[in-house]
Amino acid sequence: MAEVERDEAVDLADSGFLPDINEPDSRDRDAPEGTDASWPIPTKSIADLRHPPPHLLQMRQRLFEVQNRIELHLDEFELYWPYVDNVWVRQHRANTDKSGRYVTDYYACRLQRPTYTPSKERAEGKPTRKKQIRQGGTCQMRLKTVRYVGGYVGMSIMQIGEQTEHTHDLDHIDKIKRTSVLMDIARSEVMKGYMPASVFTVMNENPERLAVAGGRHLNRNDVRNASQAWRQQHRQELRVHEGYKYDHGNGIVRQDHVNSALINDVQIPQGALGSVQPLPPNTLRFPHEYRAALEPYLPSKNLEHDPSGQRLPHVTLTYATSMDSSLTLAPGLQTILSGHESKAMTHYLRSRHDAILIGVGTATADDPGLNCRLEGVGGFGGLGWEGQPRPVIIDPGARWLITPEARIITTVREGKGKGPWVIIAPGFSMDPTRLEMLKFYGGKYLGLTEFDQRWRLRWEAILKALAAEGIRSVMIEGGGKVINDLLHSDHTHLIDSVIVTVAPTYLGRGGVLVSPAPKHDAAGRPQPVLRFKNVRWQPMGQDVVMCASVKEEFEHVG
């Protein structure tokens, strides 16, 4: 039979007029029990293809590579993961922890599976299936997903194993295996009464959009295979989509006189457009022209995690001060100094660091949220918790009375921030209720035992502990004791950069000053504690921002 004639025969078979030449007869298989309950209701439709989730192309590539840890809300994971389930094959699920809040699943690249050779033996009367040999054992990439259900619900995705890159690209997997999204869309359209050939034509009406969803290599047989079981039980006449027609010799084509807007006028189910939500009213925006001035003083976006904790995180010391070097009008009194522009800058700095660190005094006095409200980060237009720093509170004596009403906990419940880590000294511990609440909201405490000569927790020990937990960069914001202690001559070598906002105001005496302990030479004469290097002054609204480094060997680290 000529190719065109064969295609016409297949089209007629799809419509129900002729037997399907590539399918076994329904009598050769056990019919499923029931009619409707036997077939899972598709969760996708053609609307999901025409209106894909935001940034689908980038998300597919990220979930394919998993170069860095990815943290998503559960609904975001369920939205994007079906677009890469042709890549990752679940191997097993680990037992949950004692709390029952964590569930871990382990996945391997599809090409880790053994080579597949289709069997040539078929039951009598069944046609030979045209399947190709799929080479396996060629890629050892693996990952795990961790689902947490507590004060929030989230999914963490991270690499495991020695292999850190695939031996192939994403298109190669798309060629040998279709995603469940595409197969679900195909099945749902056929179950509406449309011919597989018509479904394929409609799905392929925008090849670029189809390719973004992983369907560059989708063909009509894929549509037929997706709906095969349903069509075997429901022998009914199928039709072409509205606005299309069957053209003898050319298959299913669009009717020229039909307005394309009518064809695309489909009812969009809830959730088909992804999780696009309006931005919170307190969202901040930071102009790009200001970002360039800050870049040389910020941690590199490609910093690697050192599991040993021996390589200390990049430390950025930042705070807002008055003309008389005051942080507050009085101890324990929250004082607003930054203007709108420099406040937005602070949140931009937070988005560029893995963690944000303050002392317990500031946590108690200000009740801060310690999150990032910059447009584009998680909770403010972005996905998951991307761009949200990990709050770290230095509380050696376990004095912080955390409550469910604390702003830092509220941001976690709202999906706009991460649970805090609390650093405590030996001999102190949180009461069980506070500790359980901290864990419930994704936080924990870190106990340290190293002290300096003044019986304070050593900064090196604090930074090493954070590095061991995966923190590559930390932004230290205050308060006064923390800032002055870090600016002590014994600790300045730990600072990589300093970004200080100077507000055009005098607060007067009685406030908390930035004034580190004095330094003396061998003869006991007073010496300057610190003079910054590579200084740059940047006007920002009514404020001025000083960017500087501590070390002489300053490089562009961004």
Side-chain angles (χ1 to χ4, degrees):
M1 180 183 292
E3 185 64 25
V4 172
E5 293 176 347
R6 184 183 185 281
D7 287 344
E8 292 176 3
V10 173
D11 287 333
L12 292 174
D14 291 339
S15 68
F17 293 117
L18 291 178
D20 193 333
I21 60 177
N22 281 340
E23 292 179 359
D25 190 272
S26 60
R27 293 170 295 182
D28 292 331
R29 49 170 292 181
D30 295 332
E33 297 180 4
T35 301
D36 297 326
S38 301
W39 312 107
I41 299 176
T43 58
K44 302 293 181 181
S45 73
I46 199 68
D48 293 277
L49 188 60
R50 289 170 173 163
H51 306 277
H55 313 297
L56 178 57
L57 180 63
Q58 295 88 338
M59 282 304 299
R60 287 199 77 224
Q61 192 64 36
R62 287 187 59 194
L63 291 172
F64 170 74
E65 297 174 348
V66 195
Q67 291 183 343
N68 298 307
R69 182 188 182 106
I70 302 173
E71 295 183 326
L72 300 173
H73 297 292
L74 182 59
D75 58 343
E76 294 169 340
F77 177 83
E78 292 175 344
L79 178 66
Y80 287 102
W81 189 256
Y83 288 92
V84 293
D85 58 7
N86 60 331
V87 179
W88 302 106
V89 180
R90 194 175 79 172
Q91 295 181 307
H92 67 278
R93 169 169 291 180
N95 294 328
T96 61
D97 69 329
K98 294 181 180 179
S99 69
R101 296 174 187 154
Y102 293 91
V103 178
T104 304
D105 289 315
Y106 292 87
Y107 292 82
C109 175
R110 179 169 297 276
L111 296 188
Q112 188 186 59
R113 305 168 79 179
T115 298
Y116 171 77
T117 304
S119 174
K120 296 182 179 180
E121 298 181 1
R122 299 285 289 173
E124 185 177 354
K126 289 189 176 183
T128 302
R129 300 184 65 183
K130 297 181 179 179
K131 279 202 169 186
Q132 298 179 346
I133 296 177
R134 184 186 68 239
Q135 294 297 328
T138 59
C139 184
Q140 302 300 318
M141 268 281 285
R142 294 186 296 150
L143 62 76
K144 69 176 181 180
T145 64
V146 181
R147 181 179 66 185
Y148 178 79
V149 180
Y152 66 93
V153 181
M155 296 290 296
S156 298
I157 309 162
M158 64 209 80
Q159 281 190 23
I160 57 174
E162 298 180 356
Q163 186 168 320
T164 59
E165 293 182 356
H166 288 281
T167 58
H168 53 87
D169 57 16
L170 181 55
D171 185 70
H172 179 72
I173 289 289
D174 287 342
K175 185 176 182 180
I176 64 177
K177 182 69 176 179
R178 311 294 178 252
T179 68
S180 63
V181 170
L182 295 175
M183 301 301 275
D184 211 23
I185 292 173
R187 187 180 304 109
S188 70
E189 290 299 298
V190 173
M191 291 175 67
K192 294 175 185 177
Y194 296 116
M195 297 167 52
S198 179
V199 173
F200 170 72
T201 301
V202 172
M203 291 181 68
N204 201 43
E205 63 186 1
N206 188 325
E208 292 184 2
R209 187 167 56 197
L210 182 62
V212 168
R216 183 187 304 277
H217 305 284
L218 183 76
N219 56 58
R220 190 170 57 187
N221 279 338
D222 295 324
V223 180
R224 298 176 66 247
N225 290 337
S227 61
Q228 173 182 342
W230 184 88
R231 288 185 292 116
Q232 283 290 338
Q233 184 168 351
H234 299 79
R235 290 292 185 173
Q236 63 187 55
E237 182 176 340
L238 303 178
R239 64 188 188 280
V240 299
H241 282 78
E242 293 75 8
Y244 291 82
K245 64 179 181 179
Y246 175 75
D247 185 24
H248 184 75
N250 293 315
I252 308 298
V253 297
R254 177 182 290 186
Q255 297 182 24
D256 296 333
H257 64 280
V258 177
N259 189 339
S260 60
L262 297 178
I263 298 176
N264 292 318
D265 185 20
V266 296
Q267 182 178 2
I268 302 174
Q270 185 177 4
L273 296 182
S275 53
V276 179
Q277 299 292 335
L279 293 175
N282 60 345
T283 303
L284 298 173
R285 296 172 176 83
F286 187 61
H288 286 274
E289 54 266 27
Y290 287 146
R291 302 185 184 193
L294 300 172
E295 191 62 33
Y297 306 91
L298 297 180
S300 170
K301 296 180 180 179
N302 299 318
L303 287 176
E304 295 184 358
H305 165 47
D306 179 16
S308 68
Q310 297 304 309
R311 184 170 62 240
L312 300 183
H314 176 104
V315 174
T316 302
L317 177 64
T318 179
Y319 57 91
T321 180
S322 64
M323 299 284 290
D324 49 351
S325 196
S326 292
L327 299 175
T328 64
L329 286 164
L333 179 63
Q334 184 179 19
T335 305
I336 305 299
L337 289 172
S338 300
H340 178 76
E341 294 84 359
S342 55
K343 178 183 287 293
M345 177 202 71
T346 298
H347 283 260
Y348 172 68
L349 297 179
R350 291 180 178 182
S351 74
R352 291 293 303 273
H353 291 78
D354 290 342
I356 173 175
L357 184 148
I358 64 171
V360 64
T362 301
T364 301
D366 295 352
D367 185 27
L370 296 184
N371 65 334
C372 176
R373 294 190 279 114
L374 192 72
E375 181 180 10
V377 304
F380 295 84
L383 292 173
W385 289 266
E386 292 187 350
Q388 290 292 352
R390 173 70 65 181
V392 178
I393 298 173
I394 299 181
D395 184 18
R399 295 190 293 119
W400 185 40
L401 299 177
I402 183 174
T403 67
E405 291 74 31
R407 284 182 58 200
I408 195 170
I409 298 301
T410 300
T411 62
V412 175
R413 279 200 304 267
E414 294 176 349
K416 299 176 182 177
K418 295 181 178 180
W421 294 350
V422 182
I423 296 178
I424 63 176
F428 296 93
S429 62
M430 290 185 176
D431 66 75
T433 301
R434 281 193 290 158
L435 179 58
E436 178 61 24
M437 182 174 60
L438 187 66
K439 292 181 177 180
F440 184 70
Y441 288 104
K444 61 182 177 181
Y445 73 88
L446 302 175
L448 301 184
T449 59
E450 297 184 41
F451 298 89
D452 60 18
Q453 295 178 350
R454 295 171 293 165
W455 289 101
R456 294 184 178 183
L457 291 176
R458 295 182 64 245
W459 276 107
E460 290 87 348
I462 293 173
L463 296 175
K464 284 183 179 180
L466 294 179
E469 294 288 340
I471 299 299
R472 301 164 299 173
S473 58
V474 57
M475 173 179 170
I476 300 179
E477 284 198 13
K481 290 183 178 180
V482 170
I483 294 172
N484 286 322
D485 192 41
L486 195 60
L487 288 174
H488 191 279
S489 57
D490 292 340
H491 303 140
T492 53
H493 67 284
L494 301 173
I495 304 173
D496 292 285
S497 55
V498 177
I499 300 177
V500 180
T501 299
V502 181
T505 184
Y506 285 96
L507 295 185
R509 297 175 183 175
V512 177
L513 297 177
V514 175
S515 182
K519 179 181 179 181
H520 300 86
D521 62 13
R525 293 186 294 261
Q527 299 290 318
V529 176
L530 174 65
R531 185 175 182 85
F532 294 118
K533 315 292 191 305
N534 308 294
V535 177
R536 174 169 182 167
W537 294 90
Q538 175 67 48
M540 201 164 292
Q542 294 188 356
D543 303 328
V544 63
V545 175
M546 184 200 74
C547 304
S549 63
V550 175
K551 304 168 186 176
E552 201 63 72
E553 59 279 6
F554 177 73
E555 297 181 359
H556 185 138
V557 296

